[in-house]
Amino acid sequence: MKGYTGRLLRVNLSDGKVSKEAISDSMKENFLGGRGFAIKLLWDEVKHVDPLSEENKIIFSTGPLTGQPLPSSGKMVIASKSPLTGGYGDGNIGTMASVHLRRAGYDVAVVEGKSEKPCYLLIEDDKVQIKDASGLWGKSTFECQDILEERHGKNTGVLLIGPGGENRVRFSVVLSQKGRAGGRPGMGAVMGSKNLKGIVIKGSGTIPVADENKLKAMGKQGYADIMAKGNYEFWKRQGTMQVLDWCHQNACLPTFNFRESVFEHSKQLDGAMLEKIKVDRKGCPLCNMQCGNIVNDASAHPSELDYENVGMLGPNLGMKDLREVALLNRMADELGLDTISLGSCIAFLMEASEKGLIKEKMGWGDFESARKLVADIGRGEGLGKLVAHGVRSAAKEIGRGSEKWAMQVKGLEVSAYNCHACPGMALSFGTSPIGGSHKDAWIISWEISTDRSSYSEDKVKKVIELQRLRGGLFECLTVCRLPWVEVDFGLHWYPEYMEAITGRRFSMEEFDRIGDRVYNLMRAYWIRENGGWDRQADYPPARWFEEAPSSGSLEGVKLDREKYDQMLSWYYELRGWSQQGIPLKETLEQFGLKGVAEELGHNGHV
Ligand code: SF4
């Protein structure tokens, strides 16, 4: 099939071996790329290993749309067995490294083993070298970006970890271009455990496509279509920051560690406030949506804001100064920490302090304490050590009921949507394939605009429909979902782009089927690596069932456990899984995963 380079690059850091392997046609047909390739490789090659051992592998995976001249196609998926959750972990990142990887002649790069000394990879087309990174170790992602660009030229793609990844903080991420981040479930820590500080890629080739003229024309039309959308101008002004006020108005804003759902100082943090102090915008390559809002932070350094980082480091900590939030955000980017998990960890400690469960004093909105904590977490020092493995682990350590307000699913901290009164979004968090992530099924806007309080089977169907599209189609084609989500860019474009690129027509039904195959394999991976499954793992945090907010329009409302359980049962049934959340043998076989069924069956899980 055209549109792929057809090659996988494998680098073993233990023995320095570099190999290039062919990617089979059946791999392309059945898994498309991105997340699809990543889970297939992990299933086949990474079994029962310690995520921070040299036996784990980290996968940098693009898709057939990556790097092509069409909207928002500068993405790659970074995946590994997660040190935060112990299951499948991934995240996408928009970076020139994706484009250069493809131009260098690879769809995927797999890094395995462990280097004796700090190193970075330099990929220049066919030439692949492991370079000494001793002088970079300990430095921030921003400093290293400058150093490596100076050394290897500005026209390169650079992926980096910060001190957070070096110190194996379990929610450390991979950074690029001083603000693009990906790999929430500890992909930075996996790189750190391999002594891999970064990857620099320079590709000089072209990516072969079936019909170049058609693709160029359709790409151009796509960009123009986005700019003509009614809400494009507003998007350019606020990007995802418009969500903060929407969440406050609809009582789903994470406030004081998700205890409340509205914040009295929200106006000081919202999109309108952003517009007053915004100095620039930036974003991923090949995108005309550019959703990174640049502001000068409280120490006058640039910081790139979006809703998730402001939601989690703002109202969730009781912080009311956007420039101070921006400073915490920039520190996180420099250290290479995920801002969602970071916000949850700091909020957890503030609540623990309020309840007298730790001796340190830090009140809600205490900027200086938060600032010190970010540094301590990144460096693995002081109180930072308690939360460096995430809130699930911290709650186990301090006990006394704190697991009820440790806001995580499967070990990954939930992102910035309070679900006291959003059962559909709670199910979306509960069943996300990487833990508490909103990305696979952001049902909340549909839910609030339809029947918010219902726990219906239709809502469950909608979660699955969104998971197929967002977690299946977009993550496998490896293209950003935001044009579709935010400005209503038509889904019909994607089969058309695929046809112009590969020469093969995929229907939306085929994409759905691939999405389901990938979902089943990700679930099988969790089951195999955990040695079984319990439906409690698909529950959102206990706080949403047990404590209602004390203010706002939904004061007193909380989730109903029995009704959630019924939704989960429907979810399993619709997916063809057992009532323990395990894919049935016939379901796996239906998606061509007979070997997977046998492997799970041999272990007594099916
Ligand atoms: S919309 Fe934002 S996240 Fe998506 S590709 Fe564009 S800049 Fe990147």
Side-chain angles (χ1 to χ4, degrees), residues 188-450:
V190 176
M191 280 179 68
S193 71
K194 299 186 173 307
N195 277 330
L196 178 64
K197 179 72 179 175
I199 304 181
V200 180
I201 314 174
K202 285 205 266 191
S204 64
T206 49
I207 311 156
V209 298
D211 190 337
E212 202 172 331
N213 290 337
K214 193 171 168 202
L215 180 65
K216 271 191 190 151
M218 284 199 311
K220 215 169 143 191
Q221 250 180 298
Y223 284 114
D225 195 24
I226 287 173
M227 287 197 289
K229 294 286 183 186
N231 43 356
Y232 180 67
E233 284 307 313
F234 186 53
W235 170 267
K236 275 204 319 196
R237 287 182 3 233
Q238 296 199 359
T240 57
M241 281 290 288
Q242 59 191 269
V243 177
L244 197 136
D245 185 52
W246 179 85
C247 282
H248 174 72
Q249 298 301 336
N250 287 290
C252 56
L253 188 67
T255 308
F256 306 132
N257 197 26
F258 290 84
R259 197 160 63 193
E260 300 296 334
S261 56
V262 294
F263 185 47
E264 61 170 319
H265 304 290
S266 69
K267 288 270 167 268
Q268 286 157 255
L269 299 169
D270 68 11
M273 176 56 78
L274 168 85
E275 285 195 51
K276 289 184 194 149
I277 64 168
K278 184 171 166 175
V279 293
D280 203 356
R281 50 199 282 261
K282 66 182 217 190
C284 310
L286 296 160
C287 175
N288 63 347
M289 305 257 300
Q290 300 290 290
C291 65
N293 298 295
I294 312 293
V295 302
N296 286 323
D297 69 17
S299 63
H301 291 97
S303 175
E304 187 178 327
L305 298 180
D306 65 26
Y307 169 64
E308 290 296 331
N309 48 45
V310 175
M312 293 303 290
L313 295 168
N316 204 41
L317 308 185
M319 305 279 303
K320 52 189 182 201
D321 182 322
L322 191 53
R323 288 191 198 272
E324 289 182 350
V325 172
L327 189 143
L328 300 179
N329 175 67
R330 183 181 54 79
M331 286 177 75
D333 283 351
E334 288 186 336
L335 291 162
L337 301 174
D338 171 51
T339 50
I340 296 172
S341 289
L342 179 67
S344 203
C345 285
I346 298 174
F348 178 85
L349 289 175
M350 285 177 166
E351 183 158 356
S353 173
E354 183 185 54
K355 290 183 156 76
L357 303 186
I358 55 173
K359 64 180 187 323
E360 290 80 358
K361 297 280 170 237
M362 60 183 82
W364 297 108
D366 178 349
F367 170 63
E368 285 309 326
S369 292
R371 182 183 192 163
K372 182 171 182 320
L373 257 178
V374 177
D376 282 353
I377 292 169
R379 305 269 167 202
E381 292 167 358
L383 197 52
K385 272 195 241 165
L386 179 62
V387 288
H389 291 200
V391 293
R392 179 172 68 176
S393 157
K396 260 191 205 139
E397 208 163 319
I398 65 172
R400 290 186 280 172
S402 59
E403 70 283 352
K404 294 190 175 175
W405 38 271
M407 302 305 289
Q408 53 81 30
V409 176
K410 301 181 180 69
L412 181 70
E413 287 72 19
V414 295
S415 28
Y417 302 95
N418 204 334
C419 295
H420 289 278
C422 300
M425 192 65 213
L427 183 70
S428 166
F429 278 131
T431 59
S432 152
I434 61 166
S437 169
H438 62 291
K439 284 191 174 173
D440 279 76
W442 192 69
I443 193 178
I444 193 164
S445 71
W446 177 87
E447 177 168 43
I448 287 177
S449 65
T450 53

Side-chain angles (χ1 to χ4, degrees), residues 413-591:
E413 287 72 19
V414 295
S415 28
Y417 302 95
N418 204 334
C419 295
H420 289 278
C422 300
M425 192 65 213
L427 183 70
S428 166
F429 278 131
T431 59
S432 152
I434 61 166
S437 169
H438 62 291
K439 284 191 174 173
D440 279 76
W442 192 69
I443 193 178
I444 193 164
S445 71
W446 177 87
E447 177 168 43
I448 287 177
S449 65
T450 53
D451 185 2
R452 181 170 185 169
S453 60
S454 104
Y455 291 71
S456 67
E457 191 174 359
D458 279 349
K459 211 173 252 191
V460 178
K461 286 182 182 160
K462 189 74 180 173
V463 168
I464 293 176
E465 180 193 321
L466 290 173
Q467 287 178 337
R468 282 186 183 124
L469 281 171
R470 295 169 66 106
L473 173 80
F474 286 103
E475 295 299 314
C476 294
L477 293 178
T478 323
V479 69
C480 183
R481 67 195 182 281
L482 291 182
W484 165 63
V485 177
E486 301 291 352
V487 299
D488 200 23
F489 184 59
L491 282 175
H492 67 88
W493 284 105
Y494 296 101
E496 290 179 36
Y497 287 146
M498 264 304 266
E499 189 173 10
I501 290 168
T502 64
R504 148 110 158 75
R505 182 87 189 169
F506 282 82
S507 63
M508 286 308 281
E509 290 69 35
E510 277 178 284
F511 284 141
D512 282 354
R513 202 172 143 69
I514 293 168
D516 284 346
R517 177 177 298 119
V518 168
Y519 255 74
N520 275 286
L521 193 51
M522 290 189 292
R523 173 53 64 122
Y525 191 77
W526 276 94
I527 294 162
R528 186 182 73 185
E529 299 304 303
N530 275 274
W533 201 249
D534 179 337
R535 64 189 278 147
Q536 287 305 315
D538 294 329
Y539 264 66
R543 165 158 274 169
W544 290 337
F545 294 108
E546 296 177 16
E547 272 181 73
S550 66
S551 58
S553 57
L554 290 165
E555 182 188 337
V557 179
K558 53 188 180 180
L559 287 183
D560 183 309
R561 195 176 282 277
E562 259 178 47
K563 289 181 183 166
Y564 179 86
D565 206 55
Q566 172 63 68
M567 285 177 92
L568 191 57
S569 296
W570 281 323
Y571 180 89
Y572 290 157
E573 222 174 285
L574 288 161
R575 280 235 171 259
W577 297 355
S578 75
Q579 284 304 312
Q580 280 70 50
I582 297 172
L584 298 171
K585 190 165 176 272
E586 55 269 30
T587 305
L588 292 169
E589 286 177 357
Q590 183 198 332
F591 291 109

